[in-house]
């Protein structure tokens, strides 16, 4: 697994065998983590734009329902 971008206590965006994944910590009463598989265009953007991962993490936090069909369970963390 190759980490592309990360922000401590927020998200980690990484690649595993050409598949892009982002694991995001969701705030609230209980901290939860969620992993979403990236589309090829999202992975390309993450590789070329340093700000993209943070923007994507914020989008996931604000409306996880838009990403639910791409959710990976259980959440994945790079080793």
């Amino acid at each position: 697994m190759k980490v592309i971008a990360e922000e401590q206590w927020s998200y980690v965006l990484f690649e595993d065998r050409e598949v892009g994944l982002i694991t995001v910590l969701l705030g609230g009463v209980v901290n939860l983590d969620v992993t979403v598989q990236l589309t090829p265009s999202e992975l390309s953007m993450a590789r070329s734009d340093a700000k993209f991962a943070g923007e994507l993490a914020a989008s996931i936090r604000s409306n996880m329902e838009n990403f639910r069909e791409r959710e990976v369970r259980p959440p994945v963390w790079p080793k």
Side-chain angles (χ1 to χ4, degrees):
M1 290 187 195
K2 176 184 173 190
V3 174
I4 297 171
E6 64 183 317
E7 183 177 312
Q8 189 174 15
W9 296 105
S10 183
Y11 67 86
V12 60
L13 189 146
F14 54 101
E15 190 174 350
D16 185 23
R17 295 182 210 115
E18 300 297 317
V19 174
L21 301 165
I22 186 169
T23 298
V24 179
L25 291 175
L26 304 176
V29 176
V30 177
N31 280 330
L32 301 172
D33 54 344
V34 62
T35 299
V36 173
Q37 183 172 339
L38 304 180
T39 65
S41 63
E42 288 169 338
L43 181 56
S44 178
M45 285 290 296
R47 289 177 179 150
S48 64
D49 182 353
K51 295 180 182 181
F52 179 77
E55 293 167 355
L56 180 60
S59 182
I60 291 169
R61 271 190 213 97
S62 68
N63 195 348
M64 181 54 202
E65 290 307 311
N66 289 344
F67 299 89
R68 191 68 66 191
E69 66 186 38
R70 296 192 280 148
E71 183 178 4
V72 176
R73 289 189 182 183
V76 179
W77 289 93
K79 296 175 184 174

